[in-house]
Amino acid sequence: MLVLAASDIHGNWETYQWLVEVVDTHHPDLVVLAGDLLGAPESYSTVEADQTTHAERLVEVLSPVSVPVLYVMGNDDWIELPPRPGWHSLHLQRREIGEYTFVGYQNTPRFMGGPNERTEEKIAQELSQIECWLDRQTLLVTHGPAYGVLDGGHGSKALAGLLKRTSVRAHIHGHSHQSFGRSGSQFNVAAGCVRRAMFQGRKLIRHSRPLSVS
């Protein structure tokens, strides 16, 4: 299985168009988007109205992608994406694809006052709902990083505790733009509004190849 993962695109349409080209060239089995997918307000009366337009355009730009798209939203995303065949929100959900299981969580510790921000206590409570799903065949997809690993100082201690108690195949996340990269089985795929993504390879996570074109 070849997984193409990116996050923190923040409505940058050139990056989304580039992702379509990457999918067409490298033929991944699926695409993972790990939050902060929509852009900042532009001209509408509310953030929600602006991001509704962004969400519709995002789905349109990525419409050529024929493989499944699994996603979580991020702390800067004020709305959910509109339903589309083959697209699946992973937040507090579990989805089996082939021999692997994908599980997601989109909330982060308090940061900028976004709608998907929580206290560590609340995050711990919510993560308890998915802990029983996590094993060596699981790819955990979150928006935020675990505390102390590729987190730029914005990681969750509750999430770090979850990863310490369990043994997932890989943890894919974003949130910290400056920490793009890999540390063991943890992958920060934050695009940071540029053309940047990461492959988790045919042997699933054991070989990763960053794609960085800015």
Side-chain angles (χ1 to χ4, degrees):
M1 179 180 288
L2 185 65
V3 178
L4 176 64
S7 72
D8 296 80
I9 300 172
H10 292 282
N12 184 284
W13 308 118
E14 290 185 1
T15 300
Y16 282 121
Q17 290 163 352
W18 174 75
L19 284 177
V20 173
E21 296 172 8
V22 172
V23 170
D24 187 56
T25 300
H26 295 279
H27 309 291
D29 297 290
L30 59 96
V31 173
V32 168
L33 300 176
D36 277 2
L37 308 179
L38 307 175
E42 295 173 354
S43 59
Y44 294 90
S45 57
T46 66
V47 175
E48 292 87 346
D50 227 14
Q51 289 200 345
T52 296
T53 300
H54 285 203
E56 292 169 352
R57 184 174 180 187
L58 186 162
V59 170
E60 179 182 355
V61 170
L62 291 185
S63 61
V65 173
S66 59
V67 298
V69 177
L70 307 181
Y71 67 89
V72 296
M73 307 309 290
N75 63 295
D76 284 342
D77 295 324
W78 288 76
I79 65 165
E80 295 288 326
L81 297 182
R84 183 178 188 275
W87 289 48
H88 308 283
S89 171
L90 281 179
H91 180 55
L92 297 177
Q93 300 293 319
R94 176 179 183 269
R95 183 163 291 272
E96 295 183 4
I97 298 181
E99 60 185 303
Y100 301 104
T101 301
F102 293 80
V103 177
Y105 181 73
Q106 65 192 27
N107 296 328
T108 67
R110 300 293 189 192
F111 182 54
M112 297 288 287
N116 297 322
E117 298 177 11
R118 304 287 188 269
T119 64
E120 285 282 9
E121 180 180 13
K122 183 64 174 177
I123 289 173
Q125 292 173 357
E126 293 176 337
L127 289 175
S128 69
Q129 300 176 44
I130 65 173
E131 185 166 352
C132 64
W133 294 335
L134 307 182
D135 58 27
R136 281 295 300 163
Q137 296 303 104
T138 302
L139 279 77
L140 176 63
V141 180
T142 69
H143 176 57
Y147 178 80
V149 183
L150 301 173
D151 70 341
H154 304 296
S156 166
K157 293 183 178 180
L159 180 55
L162 176 72
L163 291 171
K164 188 174 182 179
R165 293 191 301 273
T166 58
S167 181
V168 299
R169 188 81 170 191
H171 174 211
I172 298 171
H173 67 85
H175 194 42
S176 178
H177 298 189
Q178 70 270 32
S179 300
F180 179 89
R182 174 182 181 177
S183 178
S185 62
Q186 299 192 49
F187 295 78
N188 183 325
V189 299
C193 303
V194 300
R195 292 183 293 170
R196 185 166 68 180
M198 191 177 292
F199 276 126
Q200 280 78 48
R202 301 273 176 203
K203 293 186 178 179
L204 197 58
I205 302 309
R206 298 190 184 281
H207 304 287
S208 66
R209 182 155 59 92
L211 296 178
S212 182
V213 186
S214 49

